[in-house]
Amino acid sequence: MSPDVPQGPRYPSYPGEQQPGGAGPTHGTPWSPPAQPDVRAGVQPGAPAFPGQADRSVPEEPAGWWIRVLASFVDGLIVLALSIVPIVGGFVLLFVDADYDEVTDEFTNTNPWGLVVVGLGFVLYLGFDLWNRGLRVGYRGQSLGKQLVGVHVVGRDGAPVGALEGFFRWLVAGLLQWTFIGLLVDLLWPLWDERKQTVHDKAINTYPVRR
C-alpha cells in the first residue's frame, strides 16, 4: 500500500473552476465574461444605423427639405420685422431735410444721425440672426423657426453641438449665401444628399432631424 501523499492548501475556487477528477464547476454554471458593448466609432449601443452608413448613428428621421425651407422663411421674417423699423427710420431721418442738386446729382444737407440709425439697424439684424440661427441652434438645437416646425439640429450623438459649433455653422452658411451660386448650391444640396444635409451642415457635421 502506497503512503498517503499530503495535499497542499486549498484556495477558494472561482466561478467555473473544475474540480479534480473532471467534476463539474463549483458554482453551478460556468463563468463567462460579460458582453462588451459595440465600440465602433460613432455607434452607440442599441442605436440604429444611419441609412447607407453602418458606422453612424442617427437619432431620428432626417428633416425634409420643405419643412426646413419653411423654418428658414420664418426666421427671416422674424429678423426682418425686428430690424426694418430702425433701417427704414434711419433712411427717413437721413433724407427728410435733404436737398437734391440736379447739376451734381447729389443730396445735400443730409442728417448724419440717419446713417447712425441705419447702422444700428444692420447691427441688430446681424446680432439677432447670429443668436437665433447660430448660437441658439448650437446650444439648443433650434432656431425660433425650427422650434415652430419641430426641426432640431444635432450632432452625431443626437445632442446639440454647442454654441461655438453653432457660430461656425452660421458663419459658413453666411459665407456660402454671400453669392447667388453659393446660396443656390447650399439651399438645394439636401434634395440629393443621403443625409439631407446642407453644405454648411456637412462642414460642421450636423444633422437636421424631426422630433
Side-chain angles (χ1 to χ4, degrees):
M1 183 177 63
S2 60
D4 294 335
V5 178
Q7 299 291 328
R10 183 64 176 166
Y11 296 97
S13 59
Y14 59 86
E17 180 187 9
Q18 297 294 322
Q19 293 293 330
T26 59
H27 291 279
T29 58
W31 176 84
S32 59
Q36 298 296 323
D38 192 346
V39 294
R40 291 177 298 167
V43 178
Q44 300 295 328
F50 203 96
Q53 189 75 13
D55 62 345
R56 287 188 186 273
S57 61
V58 57
E60 284 86 17
E61 180 182 358
W65 186 78
W66 281 107
I67 199 70
R68 296 171 62 189
V69 170
L70 177 60
S72 296
F73 181 72
V74 171
D75 286 328
L77 285 181
I78 294 174
V79 69
L80 182 62
L82 290 176
S83 59
I84 193 67
V85 173
I87 292 176
V88 173
F91 277 112
V92 171
L93 181 61
L94 179 65
F95 296 108
V96 65
D97 295 323
D99 298 320
Y100 177 68
D101 191 337
E102 296 182 356
V103 177
T104 60
D105 193 26
E106 294 178 350
F107 285 94
T108 60
N109 297 326
T110 57
N111 189 341
W113 285 104
L115 289 176
V116 174
V117 176
V118 171
L120 291 176
F122 280 107
V123 170
L124 176 62
Y125 180 94
L126 290 176
F128 182 84
D129 194 60
L130 169 60
W131 170 79
N132 183 41
R133 293 199 285 190
L135 304 180
R136 195 176 195 269
V137 168
Y139 68 77
R140 182 167 177 167
Q142 292 180 301
S143 64
L144 295 176
K146 288 179 172 59
Q147 182 178 355
L148 180 65
V149 300
V151 172
H152 290 249
V153 176
V154 299
R156 294 176 62 179
D157 59 353
V161 294
L164 183 60
E165 287 80 359
F167 166 75
F168 283 115
R169 183 179 183 273
W170 173 84
L171 183 62
V172 172
L175 293 175
L176 287 170
Q177 296 166 11
W178 188 256
T179 64
F180 177 75
I181 296 298
L183 171 64
L184 195 63
V185 171
D186 193 44
L187 177 65
L188 299 181
W189 196 273
L191 292 176
W192 58 77
D193 185 73
E194 182 183 20
R195 304 175 183 89
K196 307 301 181 184
Q197 292 174 293
T198 59
V199 177
H200 63 271
D201 279 318
K202 288 185 174 297
I204 312 300
N205 203 18
T206 52
Y207 302 85
V209 297
R210 290 293 303 273
R211 288 181 178 174

